[in-house]
Amino acid sequence: MLSVVVFLPLAVAVGLVAMPRVSDRVVRSVWIAATAADLALVVALWIGFAPGPSGFAYEVNQRWIPTVSAGYHIGVDGLSLPLVALTAVLFLACALYSLRQTHRMRAFAALFLFLQTVCLGVFVSLDLILFFVFFDLSIVGMYFVIALWGHRGAARAALMFFLYTFLGSLALLLGFIGLYVASDPHTFDIVALTAQNPLAGGGIFSVLVLLAILVGLAVKTPTVPFHTWLPPAHTEAPAAGSAILAGVLLKLGTYGFVRIAMPILPGTWRDYSPAIVAIGVAGVLYGAFVALGQNDLKRMVAYTSVNHMGYILLAFGAAGLVATSDAQAHDLAVTGAVTQMVSHGLITGALFLLTGVLYERGRTYDMDAYGGLAARTPWFARVTAVAAFASLGLPGFSGFIAEFQIFTGALGPVPVATALAVVGILVTAALFLRALQRVFLGPVRAAGNGDVADLAGAEAAAIVPLLALAVLIGVFPRFLLDVIEPAARVVGTLVSR
């Protein structure tokens, strides 16, 4: 069943491309039906989720490249299942949002369905080569989304995105080859490598392998100083592309930390956890303060992604520091980090779709071009305000649950770093309140002088459910935490070896 979830979107994409000329209406209907069916299958996976002795459910392990012991090995646990669900939800939201899309509709839908398969593939992969194949293909898919459907500077932004992230993937491949060489017997299987702990003795080779993996994942996340491709890519991408880039593709990097780097290289991860903490805090503060200085609304939201990814790195670094001394703090930090991945995907995905709504009305992201829109577009103003408050971590939303766990888990081992990270929340609150005031309050400016339509039905159908899920997690977090916490404890056991 898990293979069906992964490859159903790709099969539909191939079918769309192979079909004779069809209307855009048919393409939209097929796209929405495919993503809705995939989400229904994911819900069924969640309901029937019962990890086996290996810790994974719905596991499939077939020979693929036997000469290097690489296989088609997939499965889900409490770390990956929430991200699989997030992926299905966001791709359905983007399909609904794109009901008004008219430019190259069939290619647009097929490309998003392809992206859905490769993103799901990363989250279910239990083999390093399989992980890398899906990881690399996501770069190709997003390159074409930005280049073909982006704004005026799309070609340069797409090229910058591709070169940066492809270079990172090459570093990641070197790290994977290093793990293969160190293992005995040689294997690319993640479960087998985790059990082996092939570089338990430490040494320079283990440091180099960890460095290669960290660089590859850090570029994708992205963390400071590997973040410079992100703002141009977001600014020039279409709204649906930005929502997937922020909501799903960035999580491919952070997921790699907790799936590969931490459990397979536990000793080296513990040794270099202070550096991970420092990088995380740098991302939190840099992202928040640079976002505060932006006039471009979409670019501002892009920099808040750097800020939120910093919290995840802070949590993973702190978890490494307490892995052998405080299991509860470790589990809190890891659980908070995974919850943050889900929360950020929902909320920031909604924010990017909302910036797309604004651009459709005013043809600019410049906040100084707007003003007084709350009186003309009350529903758009209300939904944007909810998304902004959710992003700054207000209680009642998923972001609060995530950040509370991260700070609780990190405060003991790294109190100064945690205190500095809290400053990021204050700055984030200031920048979102400032943005709401400039766009929706005060006198009407040029971009709002014409007939400004309120939130359309398709746009609301895409955005409101994302925020509703953020509220659901914020008010009733147990349904998510009960899945994540057992897997976080397993990671704690592995990292403490």
Side-chain angles (χ1 to χ4, degrees), residues 97 100 151-152 297 354-371 373 376-377 380 439-440 444-454 459:
Y97 179 85
R100 300 170 68 178
H151 305 313
R152 285 178 297 180
L297 180 64
L354 286 164
T355 63
V357 173
L358 189 69
Y359 186 83
E360 287 293 320
R361 275 63 170 172
R363 311 311 299 177
T364 180
Y365 297 116
D366 186 357
M367 288 185 280
D368 289 336
Y370 298 95
L373 288 184
R376 296 179 171 222
T377 58
F380 176 51
V439 174
F440 294 104
V444 176
R445 295 190 178 91
N449 280 338
D451 292 329
V452 182
D454 206 347
E459 295 162 343

Side-chain angles (χ1 to χ4, degrees), residues 45-363:
L45 289 181
W46 193 295
I47 293 172
F49 177 66
S54 65
F56 296 93
Y58 310 106
E59 196 170 358
V60 178
N61 192 358
Q62 300 291 333
R63 290 165 64 87
W64 179 31
I65 312 175
T67 53
V68 293
S69 189
Y72 176 72
H73 191 183
I74 62 173
V76 291
D77 65 353
L79 304 178
S80 55
L81 183 60
L83 296 173
V84 168
L86 170 68
T87 302
V89 167
L90 275 176
F91 274 94
L92 175 57
C94 289
L96 291 169
Y97 179 85
S98 300
L99 280 171
R100 300 170 68 178
Q101 172 75 26
T102 58
H103 180 55
R104 297 180 181 176
M105 188 64 213
R106 179 158 59 167
F108 189 74
L111 197 54
F112 269 79
L113 288 165
F114 167 78
L115 267 173
Q116 184 170 355
T117 284
V118 297
C119 291
L120 289 169
V122 170
F123 293 132
V124 305
S125 293
L126 296 177
D127 181 274
L128 293 179
I129 296 300
L130 191 63
F131 182 100
F132 178 79
V133 169
F134 284 126
F135 190 89
D136 234 20
L137 289 176
S138 70
I139 300 171
V140 177
M142 186 52 66
Y143 168 80
F144 285 110
V145 169
I146 298 171
L148 298 180
W149 287 274
H151 305 313
R152 285 178 297 180
R156 183 177 182 276
L159 181 62
M160 188 176 182
F161 161 78
F162 185 88
L163 292 177
Y164 266 71
T165 52
F166 186 68
L167 180 62
S169 71
L170 292 178
L172 188 65
L173 181 60
L174 287 176
F176 288 174
I177 293 172
L179 289 174
Y180 173 82
V181 170
S183 60
D184 185 19
H186 297 316
T187 183
F188 283 106
D189 189 88
I190 292 174
V191 177
L193 286 167
T194 301
Q196 278 192 33
N197 190 8
L199 291 168
I204 187 63
F205 188 69
S206 67
V207 174
L208 292 175
V209 169
L210 179 63
L211 180 62
I213 293 173
L214 288 182
V215 169
L217 298 174
V219 172
K220 192 80 163 189
T221 298
T223 60
V224 177
F226 303 108
H227 68 286
T228 51
W229 62 265
L230 181 68
H234 271 310
T235 304
E236 303 301 338
S242 291
I244 295 303
L245 179 58
V248 181
L249 262 67
L250 302 191
K251 310 309 178 299
L252 305 185
T254 52
Y255 174 73
F257 288 117
V258 72
R259 171 60 68 218
I260 297 169
M262 294 175 69
I264 298 179
L265 294 162
T268 313
W269 182 269
R270 292 196 306 269
D271 292 342
Y272 288 88
S273 286
I276 305 299
V277 169
I279 293 170
V281 173
V284 167
L285 297 177
Y286 177 86
F289 279 107
V290 176
L292 183 63
Q294 301 302 309
N295 288 320
D296 184 302
L297 180 64
K298 200 176 187 188
R299 201 173 182 89
M300 183 199 82
V301 177
Y303 275 110
T304 64
S305 290
V306 178
N307 164 263
H308 283 89
M309 295 302 99
Y311 293 124
I312 296 172
L313 265 292
L314 167 65
F316 287 155
L321 290 173
V322 296
T324 59
S325 59
D326 191 337
Q328 185 178 16
H330 173 279
D331 296 349
L332 270 172
V334 172
T335 302
V338 177
T339 306
Q340 177 77 318
M341 292 185 215
V342 176
S343 174
H344 176 267
L346 294 171
I347 297 167
T348 306
L351 280 168
F352 275 117
L353 294 181
L354 286 164
T355 63
V357 173
L358 189 69
Y359 186 83
E360 287 293 320
R361 275 63 170 172
R363 311 311 299 177

Side-chain angles (χ1 to χ4, degrees), residues 201 233 281 342 378 408 416 422 437 454 474:
V281 173
V342 176
T408 304
V416 175
V422 171
Q437 184 178 38
D454 206 347

Side-chain angles (χ1 to χ4, degrees), residues 307-308 311 314 332 336-337 339-340 343 390-394 397-410 418 421-422 424-425 428:
N307 164 263
H308 283 89
Y311 293 124
L314 167 65
L332 270 172
T339 306
Q340 177 77 318
S343 174
S391 188
L392 60 86
L394 198 71
F397 293 98
S398 54
F400 174 77
I401 300 297
E403 290 165 8
F404 177 80
Q405 291 181 102
I406 289 171
F407 293 146
T408 304
T418 304
V422 171
I425 295 180
T428 302

